[in-house]
Amino acid sequence: MVIKENSLGTLTIGEIAATLPGATAVFRKFKLDFCCGGDAMLVDAVRKRGLDIGLVEKTLAALDPSTSAPAPEATGALIDHILSRYHETHRRELPELVRLARKVEAVHAGHPEAPRGLADTLEAIQVELEEHRQKEETELFPLMRQEHDSGAELPIAQMRLDHDRHGELLRRLDTLAHGFALPGDACRSWEALYVGTDKLIDDVMEHIHLENNVLFPRFEHREAA
Ligand SMILES: [Fe+2]
Ligand SMILES: [Fe+2]
């Protein structure tokens, strides 16, 4: 995709995220929601956050597309990529983050900046993501691999609702961890917890973006046609 400054405002955030490698990192930096809020036009989302559209467009236009690997093109390969890069990674990383959060909350219970409630929210995400992955892995993805022309619309709508709920929980993580600002006397475990949780948010947002903005539209547009 060739990007020119001043040409992005009328595209949606999801369209830009799906076609411009590296754009998702820019959206994260400006705290623009590219996964669940991908339907919003860039200019509207920027205005809502009180940002400068010129600065956001300039940052996007300055991206070097050759430095980010694009997601696989073919549907089967894209699903394989989602499973190995995201589903398995979250399965592996979340139990350790819950354990770390419980430890930090217990050891620093009297600290004014302790992330109270973070362990419970991480555990809620762990449970919800597992239920959601099961639905994708056993129902929706097998249907998509067969390239069926119909039948995917309802499960996709349900997955999009689940993603919205995941987005709410991710925002709660950010709030409970005070934007991941570590106090000066934070221990190694606290630091590891914030680094790991911040990375988890990045990963889950990229994951939702790949499904909402790249994979799902292939089947929704087909049915609409
Ligand atoms: Fe998924
Ligand atoms: Fe999903």
Side-chain angles (χ1 to χ4, degrees), residues 132 136 163 207 211:
H132 176 81
E136 288 181 341
H163 291 166
H207 174 191
E211 292 176 351

Side-chain angles (χ1 to χ4, degrees), residues 79 82-83 86-87 90 129 132-134 136-137 141 159 163 166 207-208 211 215-216:
I79 290 172
I82 287 170
L83 294 176
Y86 298 100
H87 285 208
H90 302 331
L129 283 184
H132 176 81
R133 281 191 297 262
Q134 293 283 343
E136 288 181 341
E137 290 171 13
F141 288 173
M159 294 305 104
H163 291 166
H166 301 159
H207 174 191
I208 293 175
E211 292 176 351
L215 179 62
F216 293 173

